[in-house]
């Protein structure tokens, strides 16, 4: 029986976006026709509950990583038993006797080091430097694949398997239901550009238009609160922490527009989710957002506050042009399913 080991370490460390990826991918692979067996494993101290059916190696990740880099031990098979291949989903490239597929989400920390903690920059740099040890490299978007090739990875070694969108459960109405608001999703970190979003909101001639920022706590929370106060927006900004899938669906459905003013991303799942639910998207005009929306969004130059404000106002008013754009976007994002991601992923593993 074919067995693929999948590193789900992100699911025990609280790295929410990557955690969603590894857990959804593992489940989707097992749901494929003639599916391989999936051996889930996680390394390090668990900050959250260890997922079911996961083999947990509870030694601190930094200790294991030093051993991996020094002597390439312990190999994955010590944790999982014999496997046919390994899906290394980061943040460390695991050693194994079996062929390894290394996943790269983005190179944002290398392209914009000033916007990321030094530890993240060092970790990603080391991971990319070690890609030569992997038997194949997988990117979650064509944009990330192009960036990997530009960085020196041989084109024939890079494969693309766009991440999927999980169907939402029945939506739960948010606290702002019935009110006019822009939605932003994600932890407040510098690359998200939420400071630019606040400045743009202050320039929209609509005092009833608010902002709902949904996501886990981040290092920019205090600075954003201070900026909102300075811009006299405190009463118009609603900060919600992590929410359930049902609650997130409600936030999307009641929003006038989703705003994504990011400097860089590896994919852009909130844009896909918003369009799937019929919500207009205003986003930075960067390659990955053009890719995942099919350009069916209002795209504005990076850091252009006035352009962002104008786009927010236009999208919030829902003219026929925006309604038509959303319909095209909804059709475009239908391709992003976990079944498609799983099939593309398994095809790479079986080709090794």
């Amino acid at each position: 029986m074919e067995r693929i080991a999948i590193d789900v370490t992100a699911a025990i460390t609280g790295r929410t976006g990557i955690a969603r990826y590894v857990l959804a991918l593992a489940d989707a692979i097992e749901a494929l026709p003639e599916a391989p067996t999936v051996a889930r494993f996680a390394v390090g101290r668990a900050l959250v509950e260890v997922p079911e059916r996961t083999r947990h190696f509870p030694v601190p990740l930094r200790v294991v990583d030093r051993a991996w880099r020094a002597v390439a031990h312990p190999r994955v098979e010590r944790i999982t038993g014999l496997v046919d291949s390994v899906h290394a989903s980061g943040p460390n490239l695991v050693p194994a006797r079996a062929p390894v597929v290394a996943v790269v989400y983005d190179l944002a920390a290398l392209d914009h080091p000033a916007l990321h903690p030094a530890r993240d920059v060092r970790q990603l740099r080391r991971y990319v430097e070690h890609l030569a040890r992997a038997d194949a490299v997988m990117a979650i978007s064509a944009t990330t694949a192009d960036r990997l090739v530009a960085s020196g990875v041989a084109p024939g070694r890079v494969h693309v398997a766009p991440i999927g969108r999980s169907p939402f459960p029945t939506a739960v109405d948010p606290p702002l239901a019935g009110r006019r608001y822009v939605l932003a999703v994600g932890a407040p970190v510098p690359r998200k550009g939420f400071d630019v979003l606040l400045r743009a909101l202050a320039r929209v001639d609509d005092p009833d238009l608010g902002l709902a920022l949904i996501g886990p706590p981040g290092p920019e929370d205090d600075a954003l609160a201070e900026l909102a106060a300075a811009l006299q927006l405190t009463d118009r900004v609603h900060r919600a922490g992590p929410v359930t899938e049902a609650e997130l669906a409600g936030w999307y459905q009641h929003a006038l527009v989703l705003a994504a003013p990011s400097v860089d991303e590896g994919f852009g799942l909130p844009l896909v989710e918003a369009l799937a639910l019929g919500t207009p998207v205003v986003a930075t005009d960067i390659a990955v957002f053009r890719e995942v929306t099919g350009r069916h969004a209002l795209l504005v130059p990076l850091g252009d506050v006035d352009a962002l404000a104008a786009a927010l106002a236009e999208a919030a008013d829902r003219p026929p042009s925006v309604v038509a754009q959303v319909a095209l976007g909804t059709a475009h994002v239908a391709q992003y399913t976990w079944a498609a991601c799983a099939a593309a992923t398994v095809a790479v593993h079986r080709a090794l």
Side-chain angles (χ1 to χ4, degrees), residues 168-174 245-251 253-254 277:
F168 280 115
T170 302
V172 172
D173 287 345
E245 292 291 290
E247 290 168 336
L248 182 58
W251 281 109
Q253 290 181 349
H254 286 272
L277 294 177

Side-chain angles (χ1 to χ4, degrees), residues 128-350:
V128 171
E129 288 172 351
H130 290 170
L131 288 178
R133 290 167 28 196
D135 297 272
V137 179
M138 181 164 289
I140 65 169
S141 65
T143 299
T144 296
D146 291 343
R147 180 65 185 83
L148 282 166
V149 171
S151 73
V153 181
R157 298 184 63 234
V158 181
H159 308 268
V160 179
I163 64 177
R165 180 188 70 84
S166 300
F168 280 115
T170 302
V172 172
D173 287 345
L176 300 188
R179 296 170 60 182
R180 295 170 55 82
Y181 66 88
V182 174
L183 177 65
V185 177
V189 295
R191 79 173 183 178
K192 294 294 184 182
F194 292 153
D195 57 331
V196 177
L197 178 56
L198 282 174
R199 297 181 190 282
L201 180 65
R203 298 188 189 184
V204 176
D205 187 18
D206 183 350
D208 294 327
L209 185 65
L211 169 65
L213 177 54
I214 310 302
E220 295 286 286
D221 268 315
D222 290 344
L224 290 174
E226 293 175 3
L227 179 60
L231 295 170
Q232 298 183 332
L233 293 175
T234 299
D235 293 341
R236 293 167 58 186
V237 176
H238 180 89
R239 177 71 173 98
V243 296
T244 66
E245 292 291 290
E247 290 168 336
L248 182 58
W251 281 109
Y252 280 125
Q253 290 181 349
H254 286 272
L256 291 177
V257 55
L258 173 83
S262 300
V263 174
D264 200 353
E265 295 288 350
F267 188 75
L269 185 58
L271 287 72
V272 171
E273 292 177 329
L275 287 172
L277 294 177
T279 301
V281 169
V282 171
T284 308
D285 188 7
I286 56 178
V288 73
F289 287 169
R290 295 193 293 270
E291 175 187 347
V292 302
T293 66
R295 296 179 183 267
H296 301 305
L298 279 71
L299 300 172
V300 300
L302 175 64
D304 190 329
V305 174
D306 288 332
L308 180 56
L312 291 174
E314 180 181 356
D317 287 343
R318 300 284 180 96
S321 59
V322 169
V323 173
Q325 190 175 61
V326 170
L328 293 171
T330 301
H332 175 80
V333 301
Q335 67 182 295
Y336 299 122
T337 67
W338 284 115
C341 180
T345 299
V346 170
V348 173
H349 280 263
R350 287 176 171 166

